[in-house]
Amino acid sequence: MTNTLDNFLDKHLEDLKHRGLYNNIDVIDSPNGATICINNKILTNLSSNNYLGLCNHPRLIKAMIDGINKYGVGSGAVRTINGTFKIHEDLEHKIAKFKGTEASIVYQSGFNCNMGAISALMNKDDLILSDELNHASIIDGCKLSPAKVISVKHCNIEDLTNKIQEARSSNLYKKIMYITDGVFSMDGNISPLDKIIPITKKFDVICYVDDAHGSGVTGKGYGTAKHFGLEKEIDVQVGTLSKAIGVVGGYVAGKKKSY
Ligand SMILES: Cc1ncc(COP(=O)(O)O)c(C=O)c1O
């Protein structure tokens, strides 16, 4: 007997297929390298984000094995109870140094960063201005925040300026935040942060840059903020460890505040 869940799932899947949005996920049976094995076929891999080849690098493999031998395979508790290890703290210091910020905090993934950080920073009386081509995790992260969200035309300084000015003169919002990918995940273009930062500074708008695709690639590897020499000007820098860095996890880097 089918129930409402079955009905919903069948209809939803059919609809996705009809709209060409159904995703058949390839299952890889090899390391994610220049070639990969899918369905017993060796194929040239043109679609990974393993930009620097680090996910199979012998030094990283050894470090991972050494870490497991010393600490085990899990932390045994969430970080806020008693699952924060010295290596977490070391990693956060290293990431802050890498990003040119005062501090950083590590999450389980880049996706989790946007889920956690946006709603932690932006409240009911706030406004988020989000580039229309931002990554799905930013869009979902914005949905978790009670702040009003307005889309900004892609990398369009005029549209951004107009929307900031309108918001400021309305006096409706306590905080305003502009969120953009550093390097856009689908098109590969770089957000014009050198033009954006003078505007966000002028109107006291928080600037949040998700540099998942820029880190390890642009700015001599340090990312898009470094590419423009703006490490100290961008309020929040988000990144992932699952692309150029070759492992898994994400981070939010910025100001250090402690009480
Ligand atoms: C801009 C951006 N942010 C976040 C993520 C998510 O990163 P993760 O794979 O660590 O969840 C991605 C991944 O595609 C991304 O492109």
Side-chain angles (χ1 to χ4, degrees):
M1 198 179 90
T2 57
N3 59 23
T4 48
L5 177 60
D6 285 322
N7 286 338
F8 164 74
L9 292 172
D10 291 342
K11 229 177 135 206
H12 189 55
L13 290 172
E14 206 181 291
D15 180 53
L16 285 177
K17 279 188 183 161
H18 182 69
R19 290 191 290 140
L21 296 174
Y22 185 79
N23 191 5
N24 275 312
I25 295 175
D26 292 324
V27 178
I28 302 169
D29 192 20
S30 66
N32 197 326
T35 58
I36 42 177
C37 179
I38 297 175
N39 291 333
N40 293 320
K41 275 196 201 141
I42 305 296
L43 303 168
T44 302
N45 182 7
L46 297 175
S47 60
S48 93
N49 299 131
N50 179 24
Y51 300 128
L52 302 175
L54 291 181
C55 74
N56 310 308
H57 195 283
R59 276 181 64 192
L60 267 84
I61 294 172
K62 183 174 180 315
M64 191 79 91
I65 292 169
D66 289 348
I68 288 171
N69 283 333
K70 182 164 178 189
Y71 294 100
V73 292
S75 65
V78 293
R79 290 197 53 191
T80 43
I81 300 179
N82 79 339
T84 293
F85 289 15
K86 173 85 168 57
I87 44 173
H88 287 121
E89 213 180 53
D90 290 349
L91 176 62
E92 287 171 347
H93 288 149
K94 280 194 176 165
I95 287 172
K97 201 167 161 209
F98 176 60
K99 289 279 125 189
T101 60
E102 293 172 11
S104 85
I105 182 166
V106 167
Y107 284 66
Q108 292 89 338
S109 70
F111 212 105
N112 279 75
C113 292
N114 289 326
M115 294 292 111
I118 298 171
S119 57
L121 293 171
M122 299 307 281
N123 298 320
K124 190 163 74 57
D125 300 322
D126 297 334
L127 170 69
I128 299 170
L129 296 168
S130 176
D131 187 284
E132 64 184 347
L133 293 192
N134 275 344
H135 186 255
S137 58
I138 297 175
I139 295 165
D140 285 354
C142 289
K143 284 185 192 156
L144 287 181
S145 159
K148 178 155 176 76
V149 182
I150 295 178
S151 172
V152 177
K153 284 185 194 157
H154 181 52
C155 292
N156 187 315
I157 305 297
E158 197 186 335
D159 193 42
L160 175 65
T161 312
N162 288 342
K163 282 176 176 155
I164 292 175
Q165 277 175 330
E166 230 171 83
R168 276 283 171 245
S169 55
S170 76
N171 264 331
L172 283 173
Y173 308 105
K174 283 192 179 149
K175 301 197 292 301
I176 304 176
M177 178 190 264
Y178 173 62
I179 308 184
T180 180
D181 280 22
V183 172
F184 283 84
S185 51
M186 301 309 287
D187 298 78
N189 58 314
I190 300 180
S191 173
L193 292 172
D194 53 335
K195 301 196 174 62
I196 288 166
I197 286 291
I199 296 160
T200 55
K201 289 272 167 224
K202 180 171 171 194
F203 292 98
D204 188 20
V205 170
I206 302 160
C207 187
Y208 180 116
V209 178
D210 179 342
D211 206 25
H213 289 272
S215 297
V217 180
T218 52
K220 296 197 170 129
Y222 293 96
T224 309
K226 178 86 171 181
H227 172 79
F228 289 111
L230 291 169
E231 304 96 302
K232 300 280 176 272
E233 314 300 329
I234 295 164
D235 300 287
V236 184
Q237 293 189 55
V238 166
T240 179
L241 302 174
S242 76
K243 301 188 192 299
I245 310 300
V247 285
V248 69
Y251 55 84
V252 180
K255 290 186 177 70
K256 184 181 175 84
K257 292 270 179 199
S258 48
Y259 295 91

